[in-house]
Amino acid sequence: MHHTSTGTHHLGRTICSSLQHAAALHRVETAESGAVAGIPLVRPGIDPGYAIPSHAAAAGVPRGAQWKTVPAAEPSEEHWAEVRKVCDGCFTEDERRRGTTVIGHRACHPTERLVLDHFEELTSRYPEHLAFGGRLGTRYPWRAATATAAGGTRLRYSVTSEIRKAVTASGGWAAGGTIDITVPGHAAFTGGYTHGVGNTSPWPSSDTVHSHLLVEPGERGRIDVHGIGGIYSGFLYFAMTGFPRHDEHGARCFDLGGHHVWTTLGYLCFPVEDAFVKSPDAPAAVLRLRRTWPDGVPEPGPALLGTP
C-alpha cells in the first residue's frame, strides 16, 4: 500500500451501490406499534433465554468499541462469514483473494500510520465501506445496581433505560444508539450498542419499571441490571470494493488526510474490542436480577449466572 506526499485529491468518490449494505448501515430502529415493553426480572442461575450469537456482524463502526493496542491474529472464518451477511457484494471471496492486512496501533509503515492518524476521518467519510465482525466475549454484561438493602426491609426501586438513537452515518457508526440506565443507588450507566445483522426485535426508546425488593431478616439484597446482548471483539473491515481504479494493475485508491492512498489489497482490517451488540430477539435493552445473600457474608459479584 502506498501514498503520495503531494495530497492529490479526487473530485468525487465511488461508494458501494449495494442497497443491502446501505439498508444495513442506515437501518432505522423504531419500536413497532403495540410492541410489548418491559424490563424482565430473572433469578440468579437462570439464563434469560435471549439468543446471543457466538459471532456477530454489523454495518459501519460498532458504537462504543475501543481499539486493541496490539494487533490480534488474522480475522477468522467465522468473522468473515458474518461480515459477508452485511453485504455480499462488498465482501466476496474474489476481494478476499486480493489480500488483507491488519493495521494495529503499533503499525510502522508510513501509509498505515497515515490511515491511523486519520481514522476518524476514515470512518466518517467512508462509512459505506465499513463493517465489523466480532467474536462473543461476555454475555449479558453487568451495567448498574441499586443500593444494598438491609434485612427486614422492603426496597422500593425503579429501573429506567433510555435509548438515544444515532442512526445517521455522519460519524461512521453502525445503526444503534446510546443506552442510559438509571437506578436509585450507587451506580448508573451510559454506553453504546450496535444493531447486528439479523436483528428482529426493536427496543423501545424508553422504559421504566417500578417495583420493590423484599429482603428477609438475616439477609441483605440488591437489584442488578444487565444489558441484553453480548460484548464482542474482532475486526473492522474497510472494503476497497467500489473505489476508483488507480492503475491498470488493479490497484484502487481513495483520499484521506489530504493524501492520495492506493492499494492492491481487498481489505484493511482494524482490531477492535468491547463492542456491545444487542441480542437479535430481545424486546428490552436491559434485565433485572434479584440478588440476596446472608447477612455477614461478603456481597456477591455482579455475574448474571450462578447462585447468590
Side-chain angles (χ1 to χ4, degrees), residues 51-53 135-141 143 227-232 274-279:
I52 301 179
R135 180 181 180 85
L136 178 65
T138 303
R139 301 167 70 246
Y140 306 108
R143 295 309 195 193
I228 303 182
I231 295 179
Y232 291 79
D274 298 336
F276 180 62
V277 181
K278 74 181 288 291
S279 172

Side-chain angles (χ1 to χ4, degrees), residues 90-162:
C90 298
F91 304 97
T92 67
E93 288 301 324
D94 287 344
E95 290 297 318
R96 192 181 183 190
R97 282 191 287 269
R98 293 172 63 88
T100 63
T101 188
V102 176
I103 302 178
H105 271 308
R106 298 182 180 178
C108 298
H109 191 283
T111 305
E112 293 183 357
R113 292 307 314 175
L114 170 71
V115 172
L116 292 180
D117 291 343
H118 296 89
F119 186 74
E120 290 299 323
E121 178 188 345
L122 182 80
T123 60
S124 61
R125 190 171 181 180
Y126 304 112
E128 302 91 343
H129 288 263
L130 296 166
F132 168 74
R135 180 181 180 85
L136 178 65
T138 303
R139 301 167 70 246
Y140 306 108
W142 180 87
R143 295 309 195 193
T146 65
T148 300
T153 61
R154 182 185 296 267
L155 171 66
R156 296 189 179 277
Y157 70 92
S158 62
V159 176
T160 299
S161 63
E162 181 177 356

Side-chain angles (χ1 to χ4, degrees), residues 24 31 35 37 51 76 81 91 121 132-133 190 203 221 237 247 257 266 279 283 300:
S76 68
F91 304 97
E121 178 188 345
F132 168 74
T190 296
W203 280 350
Y237 291 75
D247 54 33
S279 172

Side-chain angles (χ1 to χ4, degrees), residues 112-270:
E112 293 183 357
R113 292 307 314 175
L114 170 71
V115 172
L116 292 180
D117 291 343
H118 296 89
F119 186 74
E120 290 299 323
E121 178 188 345
L122 182 80
T123 60
S124 61
R125 190 171 181 180
Y126 304 112
E128 302 91 343
H129 288 263
L130 296 166
F132 168 74
R135 180 181 180 85
L136 178 65
T138 303
R139 301 167 70 246
Y140 306 108
W142 180 87
R143 295 309 195 193
T146 65
T148 300
T153 61
R154 182 185 296 267
L155 171 66
R156 296 189 179 277
Y157 70 92
S158 62
V159 176
T160 299
S161 63
E162 181 177 356
I163 295 176
R164 297 198 302 269
K165 294 183 175 65
V167 297
T168 65
S170 59
W173 300 104
T178 299
I179 305 173
D180 290 327
I181 302 170
T182 57
V183 294
H186 49 58
F189 171 80
T190 296
Y193 76 94
T194 292
H195 209 9
V197 175
N199 279 199
T200 57
S201 297
W203 280 350
S205 58
S206 63
D207 197 10
T208 301
V209 168
H210 301 279
S211 189
H212 64 270
L213 171 65
L214 179 61
V215 184
E216 301 291 345
E219 292 184 335
R220 297 176 68 82
R222 70 172 191 260
I223 294 292
D224 285 351
V225 181
H226 296 257
I228 303 182
I231 295 179
Y232 291 79
S233 294
F235 294 88
L236 180 66
Y237 291 75
F238 182 48
M240 297 300 108
T241 309
F243 279 124
R245 290 187 59 183
H246 177 76
D247 54 33
E248 67 278 8
H249 302 295
R252 283 165 292 189
C253 50
F254 58 94
D255 294 324
L256 190 67
H259 296 264
H260 180 59
V261 182
W262 64 271
T263 180
T264 58
L265 298 171
Y267 302 98
L268 311 183
C269 298
F270 306 90

